[in-house]
Amino acid sequence: VMQRALFTRGALLTQQAAVARDCPLAARSAPLLQRLERSMSSVTIPPPACILRPLEVPYRYLFGPGPSNVPPRVLASGSRPIIGHLHPEMYEIMNDIKKGIHYAFQTENNMTIAMSGSGHAAMECAVFNTVEPGESVLIAINGIWGERVAEIAERMGANVHKLVKAPGGHFTNIEIEKAIGKHKPVLFFLAHGESSAGLCQPVDGIGDICRKHNCLFLVDTVASLGAAPIFMDKQNIDILYTGSQKALNAPPGTAPISFNDRACHKMFNRKTKPVSYLFDMTHLSNYWGCDGKAVRAYHHTGPVSGFFALRESLAILAEKGLEESWRKHKEVAAYLYRGLEDLGLELFIPDKDLRLPSVTTISIPEGYDWREMLVYIMKHHQMEMTGGLGPSIGMVMRIGLMGYNCEKTNADKALHALADALKNCKKSKA
Ligand code: PMP
């Protein structure tokens, strides 16, 4: 093999000399030499032409349900030099993230970390750690997120009960208490921001109901954190998680999650090990310095750059203030609602107090093909809006203005693009 490699290299150099003699310009062309070299290499699968082209990423207005545009400051933080995931400086950054999550979630829970993974990682972590096979769980389903959590719980062998409403419907505390009383679950799941339907589910009082029935209260705030008020401690939420890529405006790929003492008691006194090693809170709590041990051991290599960016996004939220962030989302959403109604569009959630300020859903206007409208808006305005998801597909179009994107000027851009699509996609496929 060695001899062949030398021969090949020698032959190449001769070939290169010949090229240099016949064509001096080509001789200076490194890509040509590289191509010749590669054509004679021992690998049988050649490098793909597409990957040899320079990376191209267009600028898009991300006005869908996420990811949202990432502010330059957060992007810059993610491009800092990599340090080791077990270096003391990294632990400091992780401690800062933990404090930032305390503020964003309004909690003092020690067991607060960020998952190395997207919102789904936090969903799985919550269920895998607090539920054992055969135990009953109750999942409120009024869009795709309840469906997903039900599937996750089914896969790990839980006995899943569902409380189902059509997309856009919300649950009353009476309905919830009745179902909890009937099924006696160890865990009750609710999405605070049901992004597939654009609904913001009220959560006051539900934590108390869960306590009364000795059930853990798990809440998804992936689409609502920073956009609509949530108070983990005051509202007696036992497990709360979110994602990095929505109102927090960090790149996708990290997901804050917090467990209170009730949740810790349940998850650290189980008879069986959680089905996932990666998401096992016994290890993650040590990696995040939450277990009181002096040494943080290697468990997995955390996404170092993702954590830098998450820290910066939490810093921006802390500088701005939660109340100001909630106020701004509400104000810009109200401005958007007026503009949509002026265009003759119908808001999917009739009660404006139940609308999710970060993701607005409109009913699909009669006589229009929603897919065609979305393609038109992307093509002519470089703007992402989306259709429904899961059970809301074909029912809604979704416009997200969150965090950094939450500005009236952006609402104007979205309204302008929609008006243009309404003019140009009219009744084309109906
Ligand atoms: N829950 C909600 C409410 C969401 O909106 C999303 C993302 N759209 C998720 C969970 C899942 O998050 P991810 O895509 O980051 O896994």
PDB file of all heavy atoms in Angstrom, residues 31 50 56 70 74 130 266 291 314 333 396:
ATOM      1  N   PRO A  31      -6.723  23.534  -7.155  1.00  0.00           N
ATOM      2  CA  PRO A  31      -7.847  22.596  -7.303  1.00  0.00           C
ATOM      3  C   PRO A  31      -7.583  21.515  -8.356  1.00  0.00           C
ATOM      4  O   PRO A  31      -7.934  20.364  -8.150  1.00  0.00           O
ATOM      5  CB  PRO A  31      -9.013  23.491  -7.717  1.00  0.00           C
ATOM      6  CG  PRO A  31      -8.654  24.832  -7.171  1.00  0.00           C
ATOM      7  CD  PRO A  31      -7.162  24.914  -7.240  1.00  0.00           C
ATOM      8  N   CYS A  50     -21.152  18.781  -4.247  1.00  0.00           N
ATOM      9  CA  CYS A  50     -21.934  19.811  -3.553  1.00  0.00           C
ATOM     10  C   CYS A  50     -21.198  20.339  -2.323  1.00  0.00           C
ATOM     11  O   CYS A  50     -21.227  21.528  -2.030  1.00  0.00           O
ATOM     12  CB  CYS A  50     -23.315  19.267  -3.172  1.00  0.00           C
ATOM     13  SG  CYS A  50     -23.242  17.865  -2.057  1.00  0.00           S
ATOM     14  N   GLU A  56     -23.715  28.352   1.292  1.00  0.00           N
ATOM     15  CA  GLU A  56     -24.590  29.500   1.018  1.00  0.00           C
ATOM     16  C   GLU A  56     -25.773  29.428   1.959  1.00  0.00           C
ATOM     17  O   GLU A  56     -26.453  28.403   2.025  1.00  0.00           O
ATOM     18  CB  GLU A  56     -25.130  29.427  -0.418  1.00  0.00           C
ATOM     19  CG  GLU A  56     -24.206  30.023  -1.442  1.00  0.00           C
ATOM     20  CD  GLU A  56     -24.780  29.901  -2.834  1.00  0.00           C
ATOM     21  OE1 GLU A  56     -26.009  30.097  -2.990  1.00  0.00           O
ATOM     22  OE2 GLU A  56     -24.002  29.582  -3.748  1.00  0.00           O
ATOM     23  N   VAL A  70     -31.864  35.152  14.860  1.00  0.00           N
ATOM     24  CA  VAL A  70     -30.963  35.241  16.020  1.00  0.00           C
ATOM     25  C   VAL A  70     -30.222  36.580  15.956  1.00  0.00           C
ATOM     26  O   VAL A  70     -29.597  36.885  14.944  1.00  0.00           O
ATOM     27  CB  VAL A  70     -29.971  34.050  16.015  1.00  0.00           C
ATOM     28  CG1 VAL A  70     -28.964  34.174  17.140  1.00  0.00           C
ATOM     29  CG2 VAL A  70     -30.730  32.736  16.130  1.00  0.00           C
ATOM     30  N   VAL A  74     -26.029  37.391  19.799  1.00  0.00           N
ATOM     31  CA  VAL A  74     -26.109  35.971  20.176  1.00  0.00           C
ATOM     32  C   VAL A  74     -25.310  35.131  19.170  1.00  0.00           C
ATOM     33  O   VAL A  74     -24.574  34.215  19.551  1.00  0.00           O
ATOM     34  CB  VAL A  74     -27.583  35.518  20.270  1.00  0.00           C
ATOM     35  CG1 VAL A  74     -27.670  34.028  20.573  1.00  0.00           C
ATOM     36  CG2 VAL A  74     -28.328  36.322  21.330  1.00  0.00           C
ATOM     37  N   THR A 130     -39.371  10.994  35.251  1.00  0.00           N
ATOM     38  CA  THR A 130     -40.370  11.070  36.328  1.00  0.00           C
ATOM     39  C   THR A 130     -41.418   9.965  36.261  1.00  0.00           C
ATOM     40  O   THR A 130     -42.216   9.816  37.182  1.00  0.00           O
ATOM     41  CB  THR A 130     -41.092  12.440  36.314  1.00  0.00           C
ATOM     42  OG1 THR A 130     -41.681  12.628  35.031  1.00  0.00           O
ATOM     43  CG2 THR A 130     -40.131  13.576  36.614  1.00  0.00           C
ATOM     44  N   LYS A 266     -39.590  12.196  43.234  1.00  0.00           N
ATOM     45  CA  LYS A 266     -40.121  11.092  42.416  1.00  0.00           C
ATOM     46  C   LYS A 266     -39.021  10.501  41.531  1.00  0.00           C
ATOM     47  O   LYS A 266     -38.850   9.281  41.445  1.00  0.00           O
ATOM     48  CB  LYS A 266     -41.292  11.619  41.559  1.00  0.00           C
ATOM     49  CG  LYS A 266     -41.847  10.654  40.519  1.00  0.00           C
ATOM     50  CD  LYS A 266     -42.925   9.760  41.091  1.00  0.00           C
ATOM     51  CE  LYS A 266     -43.666   8.945  40.044  1.00  0.00           C
ATOM     52  NZ  LYS A 266     -42.920   7.835  39.461  1.00  0.00           N
ATOM     53  N   ASP A 291     -26.002  18.215  41.995  1.00  0.00           N
ATOM     54  CA  ASP A 291     -26.180  17.109  42.946  1.00  0.00           C
ATOM     55  C   ASP A 291     -25.340  17.253  44.212  1.00  0.00           C
ATOM     56  O   ASP A 291     -25.262  16.331  45.020  1.00  0.00           O
ATOM     57  CB  ASP A 291     -25.881  15.754  42.264  1.00  0.00           C
ATOM     58  CG  ASP A 291     -24.427  15.635  41.839  1.00  0.00           C
ATOM     59  OD1 ASP A 291     -23.671  16.624  41.987  1.00  0.00           O
ATOM     60  OD2 ASP A 291     -24.039  14.552  41.360  1.00  0.00           O
ATOM     61  N   LEU A 314     -30.141  34.449  27.294  1.00  0.00           N
ATOM     62  CA  LEU A 314     -30.724  34.618  28.634  1.00  0.00           C
ATOM     63  C   LEU A 314     -30.285  35.960  29.229  1.00  0.00           C
ATOM     64  O   LEU A 314     -31.054  36.611  29.950  1.00  0.00           O
ATOM     65  CB  LEU A 314     -30.303  33.462  29.550  1.00  0.00           C
ATOM     66  CG  LEU A 314     -30.968  32.110  29.248  1.00  0.00           C
ATOM     67  CD1 LEU A 314     -30.203  30.954  29.893  1.00  0.00           C
ATOM     68  CD2 LEU A 314     -32.433  32.091  29.716  1.00  0.00           C
ATOM     69  N   ALA A 333     -48.394  41.798  19.190  1.00  0.00           N
ATOM     70  CA  ALA A 333     -49.421  40.841  18.750  1.00  0.00           C
ATOM     71  C   ALA A 333     -50.741  41.577  18.502  1.00  0.00           C
ATOM     72  O   ALA A 333     -51.407  41.349  17.486  1.00  0.00           O
ATOM     73  CB  ALA A 333     -49.593  39.736  19.791  1.00  0.00           C
ATOM     74  N   VAL A 396     -55.061  26.235   9.737  1.00  0.00           N
ATOM     75  CA  VAL A 396     -54.495  27.548  10.067  1.00  0.00           C
ATOM     76  C   VAL A 396     -53.243  27.865   9.244  1.00  0.00           C
ATOM     77  O   VAL A 396     -52.592  26.979   8.702  1.00  0.00           O
ATOM     78  CB  VAL A 396     -54.076  27.611  11.573  1.00  0.00           C
ATOM     79  CG1 VAL A 396     -55.264  27.469  12.488  1.00  0.00           C
ATOM     80  CG2 VAL A 396     -53.010  26.567  11.905  1.00  0.00           C
TER      81      VAL A 396
END
